[in-house]
Amino acid sequence: MITDDISMKSLKGSLKEKTKKAFNAGCNLVLHCNGNLKEMNIVAKNSPKIDSFILKKTSQFYKILS
């Protein structure tokens, strides 16, 4: 499961809180799309490492798109 862009400010809380809540809710990937490097670092520091399941599913998704 993939979130919508968490940098859109449609949810309350800090990026750290939103990132952690998304993963705790069962999301596998959190999208951050505004290109702000400081914010991207916050999301990255509060995200779990990508496991083999996510790598496989993401690769399958990109094959469908191409």
Side-chain angles (χ1 to χ4, degrees):
M1 184 178 298
I2 302 172
T3 67
D4 198 351
D5 178 9
I6 63 167
S7 67
M8 294 187 319
K9 300 181 181 174
S10 60
L11 300 171
K12 293 180 181 178
S14 68
L15 279 174
K16 178 179 178 178
E17 293 169 332
K18 290 186 273 191
T19 301
K20 288 184 173 204
K21 285 181 180 181
F23 284 113
N24 288 336
C27 291
N28 303 103
L29 295 172
V30 171
L31 296 180
H32 178 272
C33 304
N34 72 10
N36 180 311
L37 186 57
K38 182 179 177 182
E39 290 182 4
M40 290 190 295
N41 282 323
I42 293 168
V43 173
K45 288 178 182 176
N46 292 284
S47 299
K49 292 193 185 278
I50 295 175
D51 60 24
S52 60
F53 172 79
I54 300 304
L55 285 173
K56 179 182 176 184
K57 292 300 175 183
T58 303
S59 296
Q60 290 172 343
F61 176 71
Y62 281 117
K63 286 179 185 176
I64 291 169
L65 293 177
S66 59

